[in-house]
Amino acid sequence: MDGTTRLVGIIGWPVAHSLSPAMHNAAFAALGLNWAYVPLPVPPGAVEDALRGLKALGFAGANVTIPHKEAVIPYLDEVTPAARAMGAVNTLLVRREDGTARLVGDNTDAIGFLEDLQAAGFDPAERCCLILGAGGGARAVVYALAQAGAQVTLHNRTPRRAQALVQALTPHLPGASLTALPAGTRLTDLDLAAFDLLVNTTPVGMWPHPEASPWPEEVPLPSHLTVYDLVYRPAKTRLLRQARRAGARAIGGLGMLLRQGAAAFTLWTGEPAPLDVMRAALEAALREAPA
Ligand code: NAP
């Protein structure tokens, strides 16, 4: 690092566990870019100061993670339509023009999910998709799928949150087919023959509870289904093992994490992201993470 090093980082609370510094710093090194990516722990209540700090300290941008993805929005100079629709920002770009710094908020989670799904050979256009969960991850997934022309059905433990998500996204997605399953619908009641894609956006099955699955063991998964689990730790969740046993296609969440990072990398640097380097760095960081 020297006086010309460009800085980016990740704003969250906590951020010590984040895999993003390893992924981005490996990419900068591979491309010979004099950039550095630093964890930026920002406690709740300090978001506005942190954003002013990014501008004042000459940062080129930042990622934003839990719990600040929504809280940053009121303090930004511009928010992209995608981030506005999702109500969440995961990437900030600092634009400097005529001595003034402007903060632009974007969201690369949806594109990260969509690109990973497409890279696995699944084209969502006109396909029927069942989403488990209605939190932040679901918002990105539902937005991405609806934008790509899929028919999207949501099931959530708290049904009114799924209904609220549909209501929030619908005005931003004219013509989209979004449905929240009515309260009382059990997963065991569903006929999966009607669906092409099942996406888990709940944390069920995530470390330290890898024995859990969001899908009931007694309901078989049809072999024509593609199953995408946003959970990436462990890499092979119980849900993915259920899918593979049923002969269904199973995709873990590491690719989404990778591709949302790659999209942010390109927004900041203007360079194509070195995906293989970033994937290897993520996998190494996961192996080294405390178990
Ligand atoms: P979140 O905003 O807290 O939402 C969690 C959702 O899961 C809520 O709808 C919640 O239901 C549901 N849920 C939680 N515990 C449950 C349980 N025991 N049984 C059934 N439903 C349950 O979390 P998030 O930010 O969306 O993250 C969810 C998971 O996705 C995490 O594992 C996260 O690491 C992963 N993720 C991965 C990526 C990636 O890049 N691969 C990106 C984003 C998120 P209620 O509404 O009833 O509380």
Side-chain angles (χ1 to χ4, degrees):
M1 295 224 280
D2 58 26
T4 64
T5 304
R6 305 295 314 277
L7 286 174
V8 282
I10 180 161
I11 291 174
W13 186 262
V15 282
H17 64 286
S18 172
L19 303 174
S20 293
M23 168 168 69
H24 284 286
N25 286 321
F28 296 144
L31 296 192
L33 296 175
N34 186 7
W35 285 60
Y37 186 109
V38 288
L40 299 165
V42 174
V47 167
E48 186 177 6
D49 287 346
L51 296 181
R52 260 202 233 110
L54 285 183
K55 290 186 191 180
L57 294 168
F59 273 66
N63 283 130
V64 184
T65 189
I66 291 168
H68 300 319
K69 285 184 173 187
E70 296 161 29
V72 293
I73 291 178
Y75 307 113
L76 302 180
D77 300 299
E78 189 183 326
V79 178
T80 63
R84 180 77 63 198
M86 285 178 256
V89 161
N90 83 328
T91 302
L92 298 170
L93 186 64
V94 185
R95 281 216 179 104
R96 294 175 196 280
E97 281 156 22
D98 306 327
T100 313
R102 299 182 78 247
L103 270 176
V104 183
D106 202 347
N107 192 313
T108 63
D109 282 334
I111 193 75
F113 170 74
L114 186 63
E115 286 185 358
D116 200 49
L117 194 59
Q118 288 168 335
F122 187 95
D123 176 4
E126 290 171 27
R127 310 291 282 277
C128 292
C129 308
L130 176 62
I131 315 303
L132 307 179
R139 259 193 271 183
V141 165
V142 171
Y143 181 79
L145 290 172
Q147 278 274 34
Q151 295 170 33
V152 185
T153 304
L154 277 92
H155 181 280
N156 193 43
R157 177 176 65 178
T158 311
R160 66 176 162 71
R161 283 193 74 198
Q163 283 146 15
L165 196 155
V166 168
Q167 273 168 16
L169 279 179
T170 298
H172 300 276
L173 295 161
S177 165
L178 297 183
T179 316
L181 288 167
T185 310
R186 290 170 306 177
L187 293 177
T188 45
D189 297 335
L190 297 177
D191 179 9
L192 280 186
F195 291 99
D196 304 297
L197 176 71
L198 172 70
V199 185
N200 174 42
T201 75
T202 80
V204 180
M206 186 168 99
W207 180 88
H209 301 293
E211 73 289 349
S213 169
W215 192 256
E217 205 64 58
E218 65 273 24
V219 184
L221 295 165
S223 63
H224 76 270
L225 201 67
T226 294
V227 177
Y228 195 111
D229 196 341
L230 258 61
V231 173
Y232 50 82
R233 195 171 174 220
K236 286 186 188 128
T237 60
R238 178 156 173 195
L239 173 64
L240 295 182
R241 293 202 306 275
Q242 284 169 272
R244 286 203 185 103
R245 255 200 329 270
R249 183 159 38 173
I251 311 167
L254 198 71
M256 175 177 175
L257 183 68
L258 167 71
R259 290 171 194 275
Q260 64 75 30
F265 181 95
T266 300
L267 278 173
W268 298 324
T269 64
E271 302 279 343
L275 278 182
D276 291 347
V277 170
M278 293 169 85
R279 187 189 300 277
L282 271 182
E283 286 170 350
L286 267 177
R287 276 194 302 274
E288 284 160 23

